[in-house]
Amino acid sequence: MKRLVTPTLICVLFLGLTTAAHAADIKATGEWAFEFIWSDKNFKDNDDSSKFDVYQRLRTKFEFIANENLKGVLYTESGTSTWGDDIKDGGDITDWSLKAGYIDFNWPGTEQNIKVGHFSVAFPSAVSGSMIQDDETPALMVSGPITDNVAYMASWIRADKGSDGEDSMDVALAALPLTFDGISVKPFLAYGIIGDNYTSGDADFGDNGLQATNAADSDTLNHAWWAGAAFEMNLFDPFVLKADLNYGKLDADEDTSEMCGWFADASLAYTGLDFLTPEVFFAYSSGEDTDDSSNRMPTLSNDWALGSFFFDGDWGLDGSIDGDAKSMGFWTVGLSLKDISFFEGLKHTVHVMYIQGTNDEDILDNGLPNNNVEFGKTLLDDDSLVEVDLNSQYSIYDELTAYVELGWIHADWSDKWDSVESDTNDSAYKVSMGLKYAF
């Protein structure tokens, strides 16, 4: 019976598409990816997890276009699935989900755009994604131009919803993009309204909802807010300067449930060469201290990365160590040589970076209430990493790309970890190969 479910759903979807085709044009796009990876990413000698895995992810987006001002979007996803694990129900693919579904339209006679449904919402960022929110979420968004140089964006986000009306979290976001010759600045402000029974404790990193882990009693949380700006300048072309500055605060009745912290990053790239683009970068996020409250910035569902191994910057499906908010409390500096190309269709990227923690090592003693500690991801102020990546991509066809990602990290861990980890290792590696079909 289970084998009939997926074919039946596909038939229903096909019939729906053919019926809808009488009223709307159908545009299908997507990205299907497969990855073969050998890795040791946990920095543990006695790690018993598999060193070799195969992953796949199938994303397909259908746009039902009525006219240039109105469309509906249905975005499906299967995966990321692990061969032999998630795909094991008689060999069938069972991990299907709706990634996004929404209506996108312009108000008649204007350039004011409205989106409503479940879609990607990202706080303004310039360097490498938002450290606060950059993911699909239920939302209502209105945006458009005010003048030739000034625009606006306002959104209401249902960030998290529990079982009753008082355990939800809503976020109001407002941004004012300013664009001039050679310079753009996107300031923003967001305010989170927290229900009386909302709890952020034990929140699963990567899901929507406030990432303020281990907050004490749920009824002590009051509200959260964020402010920041994304900046980009190419006045001195071919030099391109980008920067982000974010600050966030979670207020609560109890000091032990509060959080406040900041994050900043910057990059400078030279785009005047045909065969490569060199870029230097820097990032800093405040870390835990020994105060009662947390000194890390609260986040929602972020998608930020530099490099392609420790942070979530890999081109594949599961080749990063820490792509979530547990990495907060670090600084990094590095160099990237991007899009190195001497042959048609073949490109390489090299990353070399140094990462060090900004979390006080005493957090392993007192277990701060708003702190989530995990060896190999949380970095103490005496922890340091050196990362080297070599990534290659070859275009077999315009739509089909083969890639290889090589990553190596050497770690120098604080002696403080000896009190909680007995099998620490000072290195990690990955060898990743895959195919990506984008249509």
Side-chain angles (χ1 to χ4, degrees):
M1 183 65 183
K2 291 182 179 179
R3 292 178 178 271
L4 297 176
V5 174
T6 300
T8 301
L9 291 175
I10 293 175
C11 291
V12 171
L13 177 61
F14 176 76
L15 290 174
L17 291 177
T18 54
T19 302
H22 296 291
D25 294 328
I26 310 299
K27 179 181 179 181
T29 57
E31 184 181 273
W32 296 1
F34 301 84
E35 179 177 42
F36 302 79
I37 182 169
W38 295 261
S39 65
D40 186 350
K41 302 186 294 183
N42 291 325
F43 297 104
K44 295 182 180 180
D45 288 326
N46 298 326
D47 175 35
D48 58 359
S49 62
S50 175
K51 295 295 190 298
F52 171 75
D53 273 309
V54 183
Y55 301 102
Q56 74 174 49
R57 184 179 66 200
L58 311 176
R59 289 178 173 175
T60 307
K61 179 187 292 185
F62 300 97
E63 296 180 72
F64 301 82
I65 304 171
N67 53 61
E68 62 182 4
N69 293 308
L70 171 62
K71 66 180 178 181
V73 178
L74 183 67
Y75 195 178
T76 65
E77 179 179 68
S78 171
T80 301
S81 301
T82 307
W83 283 14
D85 185 7
D86 301 326
I87 303 176
K88 60 185 178 181
D89 183 14
D92 295 338
I93 299 175
T94 58
D95 185 21
W96 287 94
S97 62
L98 182 65
K99 184 173 176 62
Y102 58 97
I103 299 172
D104 182 343
F105 67 97
N106 292 333
W107 193 258
T110 74
E111 297 182 54
Q112 312 311 308
N113 180 257
I114 301 172
K115 294 184 179 71
V116 59
H118 193 104
F119 56 93
S120 178
V121 178
F123 284 23
S125 63
V127 175
S128 188
S130 173
M131 182 59 89
I132 302 171
Q133 165 67 32
D134 193 345
D135 202 356
E136 283 79 18
T137 187
L140 169 65
M141 179 182 292
V142 182
S143 62
I146 299 176
T147 68
D148 290 341
N149 304 108
V150 181
Y152 76 95
M153 187 271 283
S155 182
W156 168 68
I157 304 167
R158 172 49 61 91
D160 208 3
K161 176 67 173 72
S163 58
D164 62 59
E166 295 186 343
D167 58 1
S168 62
M169 179 179 179
D170 299 295
V171 177
L173 168 65
L176 193 69
L178 310 173
T179 305
F180 304 94
D181 289 340
I183 296 178
S184 69
V185 182
K186 299 178 181 178
F188 68 88
L189 181 66
Y191 182 80
I193 305 169
I194 301 174
D196 289 340
N197 295 328
Y198 181 83
T199 175
S200 63
D202 300 324
D204 183 13
F205 285 95
D207 291 344
N208 286 320
L210 185 66
Q211 306 303 308
T213 61
N214 299 332
D217 297 327
S218 60
D219 58 1
T220 67
L221 303 179
N222 292 330
H223 60 268
W225 63 272
W226 296 266
F231 173 83
E232 184 171 350
M233 181 177 70
N234 60 2
L235 278 175
F236 305 102
D237 185 64
F239 290 96
V240 178
L241 175 65
K242 299 179 182 180
D244 298 297
L245 180 61
N246 299 162
Y247 177 84
K249 185 172 179 22
L250 169 64
D251 288 321
D253 293 334
E254 301 293 336
D255 290 343
T256 54
S257 295
E258 292 191 339
M259 297 184 74
C260 67
W262 63 282
F263 168 81
D265 60 8
S267 67
L268 177 64
Y270 181 77
T271 61
L273 302 175
D274 293 333
F275 60 92
L276 75 91
T277 301
E279 179 184 74
V280 292
F281 55 83
F282 173 80
Y284 182 96
S285 63
S286 57
E288 298 289 3
D289 205 339
T290 54
D291 301 329
D292 289 337
S293 59
S294 170
N295 293 319
R296 294 197 295 185
M297 182 178 69
T299 64
L300 294 170
S301 185
N302 56 20
D303 187 14
W304 177 92
L306 287 173
S308 58
F309 192 11
F310 185 76
F311 300 112
D312 193 19
D314 61 303
W315 207 62
L317 304 181
D318 195 36
S320 295
I321 293 174
D322 184 25
D324 52 40
K326 292 177 186 174
S327 63
M328 294 291 283
F330 70 89
W331 66 269
T332 182
V333 62
L335 168 68
S336 294
L337 303 177
K338 299 181 177 180
D339 298 330
I340 303 171
S341 180
F342 301 102
F343 302 98
E344 184 178 358
L346 179 63
K347 292 184 178 181
H348 310 279
T349 296
V350 177
H351 304 295
V352 180
M353 57 195 301
Y354 176 83
I355 310 167
Q356 185 158 344
T358 60
N359 295 298
D360 193 299
E361 64 178 17
D362 289 340
I363 63 175
L364 297 185
D365 295 331
N366 56 25
L368 291 177
N370 281 325
N371 183 64
N372 187 289
V373 177
E374 182 176 346
F375 173 71
K377 296 185 177 181
T378 305
L379 299 180
L380 308 180
D381 49 17
D382 284 338
D383 295 334
S384 62
L385 310 174
V386 176
E387 175 179 334
V388 180
D389 307 312
L390 172 59
N391 306 323
S392 302
Q393 299 177 13
Y394 177 69
S395 296
I396 302 173
Y397 294 101
D398 290 341
E399 302 84 3
L400 182 62
T401 302
Y403 67 89
V404 176
E405 292 191 333
L406 308 176
W408 175 80
I409 294 177
H410 175 76
D412 185 6
W413 301 112
S414 167
D415 294 338
K416 196 73 174 180
W417 285 110
D418 293 340
S419 62
V420 294
E421 289 290 340
S422 60
D423 61 344
T424 61
N425 197 328
D426 60 359
S427 65
Y429 71 87
K430 72 168 179 179
V431 179
S432 172
M433 298 184 294
L435 289 170
K436 187 174 289 188
Y437 173 46
F439 57 91

